[in-house]
């Protein structure tokens, strides 16, 4: 690991000031991703700015919304009574990720900004456009079982590995940031980018822009929600495919509203807007769930080892919607 | 820098690159905590910080100044081994023993999480504030600790008998 300076930020303004003009500075959360990447020389920061002590609060408003500070630990969110009651899919997504130890270390900001688990990205001896722009991609013709089926490009087929972000995308969450140019708020679903020709630019955040909090707007029917994660072992593994969904039905079984996001399938948490549009206003039946899944996955493309994920995503999505519609009848 | 480990104070000046694991093993010579993968994937390096379990291999030591760190060396009381350590012996919770310090520290942190009503991925009713000590819950909550010898059944029994007591039998 290359030497670096360590500084503890007193408040968000201090963190931004410490990062200003230093392109090789990184914010440090729990370090569960960054320290690993520094050991592999994928990240070589000259300065680490510890932001774990900033923004530790979860604030609830009467309208049902929540504001979660960027420094809040993943375990703390999943343990929070308001999250468990109002947004169970978020608690479930977090609890399905990593291990108890890692969830105790990982922060909200770090979870959002964590980088792909593509093996070639981690392997300095492999070609990777994300690590070295223009170098080529060894995953496209390599071992690509865990790679993207939606929104990939000829330059990059990596996925975003977060479970938490999939639930946040379904919940229409927004991300609050501060930088030298001021405060701004963007939708979580718009924060991560598709790879295109520039897979090394992963988010809309500028260098030195600090995430301070995540806002979740009210969603009355999120109480009827699921997070289902399919993976190679029962626990402590990244998602092959995951689905976060919430369903709102009228008394006669029509879909009043629905939220769906997919994980493990793309370079970003994938809000399934096409599936949602196909379902809204229609009857909640197995056949309509199938059509909605088809609409979302029409443009999915498989590689040599990951084509199974298209069918897996379709079936997982249909199973989640079926489970939610049955739960509704009770 | 000041570190508090197992109730004792230490003044050490580690490089900013030093992990908490290397600080414990190389600087403080507390070699009970083990290095398995050094990348968060095995749990051998689990220690408690203010009673909360973390992987010390991914923790930069500088971040843990002035916190109360507990390692396997700090579990023994005047009366002898911690009850969980005794239970590991009684129920064959290990074979080679390499993962054991991490398993033991992790289970102690996990027990507090369960007692505080923190749910797991298996917890059916998320709104319930108390959870049952089932073997499946223990397995899910301990999934961050791998055992290459496959002593899992003994590990789960040791944890169950120590923390769940009669209620789970
Ligand atoms: C073995 C293992 C298994 C895992 N399994 C899963 C899994 O199944 N599901 C899952 O979702 N995740 C999993 N993870 C990933 C884990 O969730 C992330 O490593 C963690 O969430 C990162 O949070 P952190 O606070 O440790 O971030 P750090 O490692 O500290 O930082 C990560 C990145 O975020 C940036 N950053 C941190 N805070 C901010 C901020 N406030 N503003 C802007 N940028 C910021 C850092 O500069 C860095 O680039 C796993 C990790 C490991 C090691
Ligand atoms: S050595 Fe830390 S998790 Fe393996
Ligand atoms: S006892 Fe050998 S690794 Fe667990």
């Amino acid at each position: 690991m290359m030497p670096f300076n360590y500084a503890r930020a007193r408040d968000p303004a201090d963190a931004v000031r410490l990062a200003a003009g230093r392109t090789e500075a990184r914010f440090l959360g729990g370090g569960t991703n960054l320290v690993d990447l520094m050991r592999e020389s994928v990240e070589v920061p000259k300065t680490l700015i510890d932001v774990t002590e900033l923004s530790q609060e979860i604030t609830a408003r009467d309208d049902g919304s929540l504001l979660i500070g960027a420094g809040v630990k993943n375990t703390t969110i999943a343990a929070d009574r308001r999250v468990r009651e109002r947004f169970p899919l978020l608690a479930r997504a977090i609890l399905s990720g990593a291990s108890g130890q890692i969830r105790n270390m990982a922060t909200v900001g770090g979870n959002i900004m964590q980088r792909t688990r593509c093996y070639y990205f981690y392997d300095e001896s492999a070609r990777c456009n994300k690590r070295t722009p223009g170098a080529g991609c060894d995953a496209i013709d390599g071992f690509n079982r865990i790679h993207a089926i939606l929104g990939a490009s000829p330059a990059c087929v990596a996925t975003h590995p977060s479970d938490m972000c999939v639930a946040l995308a379904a919940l229409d969450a927004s991300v609050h940031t501060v930088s030298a140019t001021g405060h701004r708020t963007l939708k979580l679903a718009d924060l991560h980018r598709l790879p295109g020709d520039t897979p090394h630019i992963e988010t809309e955040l500028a260098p030195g822009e600090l995430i301070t909090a995540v806002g979740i707007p009210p969603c009355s029917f999120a109480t009827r929600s699921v997070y289902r994660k399919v993976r190679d072992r029962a626990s402590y593994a990244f998602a092959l495919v995951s689905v976060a969904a919430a369903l709102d039905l009228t008394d006669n079984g029509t879909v009043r509203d629905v939220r769906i996001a997919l994980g493990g399938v793309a370079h970003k948490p994938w809000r399934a807007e096409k599936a949602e549009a196909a379902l809204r206003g229609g009857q909640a039946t197995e056949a309509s769930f199938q059509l909605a899944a088809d609409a979302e996955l029409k443009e999915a493309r498989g590689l040599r080892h990951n084509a199974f994920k298209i069918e897996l995503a379709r079936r997982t999505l249909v199973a989640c919607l079926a489970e939610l519609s049955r739960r509704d009848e009770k | 820098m000041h570190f508090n480990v197992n109730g004792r104070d230490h003044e050490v000046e580690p490089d900013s690159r030093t992990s908490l694991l290397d600080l414990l093993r190389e600087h403080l010579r507390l070699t009970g905590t083990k290095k398995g993968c050094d990348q968060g994937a095995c749990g051998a390096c689990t220690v408690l910080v203010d009673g909360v379990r973390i992987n010390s291999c991914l923790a930069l030591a500088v971040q843990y100044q002035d916190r109360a760190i507990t390692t396997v060396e700090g579990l023994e009381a005047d009366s002898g081994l911690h009850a969980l350590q005794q239970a590991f012996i009684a129920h064959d919770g290990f074979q080679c023993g390499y993962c054991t310090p991490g398993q033991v520290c992790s289970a102690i942190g996990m027990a507090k999480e369960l007692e505080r009503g923190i749910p797991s991925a298996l917890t059916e009713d998320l709104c319930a504030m108390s959870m049952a000590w089932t073997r499946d819950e223990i397995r899910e909550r301990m999934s961050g600790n791998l055992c290459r010898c496959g002593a899992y059944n003994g590990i789960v029994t040791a944890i169950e008998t120590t923390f769940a007591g009669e209620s789970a039998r």
Side-chain angles (χ1 to χ4, degrees):
Chain A
M1 200 188 283
M2 296 301 283
F4 58 86
N5 295 314
Y6 168 86
R8 201 176 284 192
R10 285 185 312 265
D11 52 48
D14 191 33
V16 167
R17 193 181 51 75
L18 287 165
R22 295 200 179 104
T23 48
E24 277 160 62
R26 290 284 181 279
F27 297 122
L28 175 66
T32 59
N33 190 218
L34 188 53
V35 171
D36 205 12
L37 290 169
M38 286 164 64
R39 278 203 188 115
E40 303 294 333
S41 302
V42 177
E43 291 271 18
V44 196
K46 296 223 168 83
T47 305
L48 287 189
I49 303 159
D50 188 341
V51 295
T52 47
E53 279 167 23
L54 316 182
S55 333
Q56 295 278 5
E57 307 273 286
I58 302 181
T59 325
R61 296 209 200 84
D62 289 342
D63 65 0
S65 65
L66 280 185
L67 190 69
I68 304 174
V72 176
K73 297 290 194 292
N74 287 0
T75 300
T76 308
I77 305 174
D80 189 278
R81 189 173 247 295
R82 297 156 298 183
V83 173
R84 286 153 74 173
E85 284 171 3
R86 293 180 196 176
F87 307 113
L89 73 170
L90 176 59
R92 293 225 180 265
I94 290 172
L95 293 168
S96 76
S99 66
Q101 291 95 314
I102 292 171
R103 295 192 295 270
N104 285 342
M105 303 171 80
T107 61
V108 173
N111 190 316
I112 294 171
M113 296 299 284
Q114 67 171 300
R115 306 194 65 190
T116 184
R117 307 304 289 202
C118 171
Y119 335 107
Y120 302 98
F121 173 67
Y122 266 75
D123 178 0
E124 251 197 311
S125 66
R127 295 182 308 152
C128 174
N129 285 321
K130 200 181 260 309
R131 201 163 12 81
T132 316
C137 169
D138 274 343
I140 290 180
D141 295 316
F143 189 63
N144 44 39
R145 180 176 154 76
I146 65 168
H147 290 76
I149 53 170
L150 285 165
S153 76
C156 182
V157 291
T159 58
H160 191 261
S162 168
D163 290 297
M164 180 186 85
C165 289
V166 182
L168 289 177
L171 287 168
D172 248 340
S174 54
V175 176
H176 300 266
T177 73
V178 59
S179 67
T181 56
H183 293 262
R184 67 169 174 153
T185 302
L186 51 168
K187 290 247 179 210
L188 178 105
D190 299 334
L191 182 116
H192 299 94
R193 298 161 53 106
L194 288 178
D197 296 333
T198 53
H200 59 291
I201 307 173
E202 295 172 341
T203 71
E204 295 295 336
L205 298 195
E209 185 167 0
L210 176 78
I211 298 176
T212 54
V214 169
I216 307 178
C219 178
S220 58
F221 60 97
T223 47
R224 228 172 279 119
S225 64
V226 285
Y227 186 74
R228 193 181 285 208
K229 178 173 176 179
V230 187
R231 44 185 157 173
D232 281 327
R233 59 182 183 196
S235 186
Y236 203 19
F238 287 94
L240 289 167
V241 162
S242 70
V243 173
L247 184 65
D248 188 15
L249 294 182
T250 63
D251 289 340
N252 63 10
T254 310
V255 177
R256 191 182 292 124
D257 204 353
V258 60
R259 302 284 190 80
I260 304 167
L262 307 177
V265 294
H267 202 249
K268 58 186 291 184
W270 190 267
R271 179 75 185 263
E273 278 165 359
K274 290 182 188 132
E276 291 179 6
L279 289 164
R280 257 183 221 112
Q283 281 294 306
T285 63
E286 189 87 14
S288 72
F289 301 156
Q290 295 277 1
L291 287 174
D294 288 344
E296 194 61 50
L297 292 161
K298 209 168 111 209
E299 265 135 52
R301 292 288 171 273
L303 299 160
R304 185 150 167 230
H305 302 109
N306 74 352
F308 75 96
K309 278 190 179 186
I310 302 173
E311 184 60 22
L312 187 60
R314 176 180 288 121
R315 291 188 192 188
T316 311
L317 176 51
V318 171
C320 284
L321 293 170
E323 182 190 330
L324 288 174
S325 64
R326 278 196 303 271
R327 213 191 283 176
D328 220 19
E329 282 164 16
K330 279 185 213 154
Chain B
M1 294 176 216
H2 172 252
F3 294 93
N4 183 290
V5 184
N6 300 329
R8 285 187 51 191
D9 293 313
H10 301 268
E11 293 297 328
V12 210
E13 290 307 317
D15 188 289
S16 53
R17 289 172 287 183
T18 309
S19 68
L20 179 57
L21 175 58
D22 287 341
L23 179 94
L24 293 168
R25 290 181 57 87
E26 311 294 335
H27 294 251
L28 305 180
R29 299 285 165 202
L30 291 167
T31 53
T33 308
K34 298 295 184 247
K35 185 183 282 187
C37 63
D38 216 20
Q39 51 187 21
C42 77
C45 65
T46 305
V47 299
L48 301 166
V49 175
D50 300 326
V52 174
R53 57 179 174 159
I54 67 160
N55 291 334
S56 61
C57 69
L58 291 182
L60 291 176
V62 284
Q63 281 193 292
Y64 293 87
Q65 298 169 63
D66 304 317
R67 308 278 294 275
I69 298 157
T70 307
T71 69
V72 70
E73 290 93 341
L75 299 178
E76 198 175 334
D78 290 340
S79 51
L81 291 179
H82 189 282
L84 181 62
Q85 292 175 301
Q86 287 291 0
F88 264 68
I89 297 170
H91 299 282
D92 293 325
F94 52 85
Q95 202 177 99
C96 77
Y98 197 81
C99 71
T100 315
Q103 299 278 4
V104 169
C105 287
S106 182
I108 291 172
M110 181 275 286
K112 281 209 192 110
E113 291 165 12
L114 200 144
E115 278 154 18
R116 281 174 51 209
I118 298 177
S120 84
L122 283 188
T123 307
E124 230 162 83
D125 180 7
L126 273 189
C127 292
M129 285 319 233
S130 72
M131 283 107 210
W133 274 98
T134 65
R135 289 181 74 89
D136 283 346
E137 274 281 1
I138 294 172
R139 282 180 190 278
E140 164 59 27
R141 288 166 189 266
M142 291 295 292
S143 70
N145 290 84
L146 305 191
C147 174
R148 292 298 293 267
C149 298
Y152 294 109
N153 287 330
I155 293 168
V156 174
T157 304
I159 296 171
E160 195 181 20
T161 48
T162 306
F163 297 110
E166 295 303 301
S167 63
R169 299 258 104 192

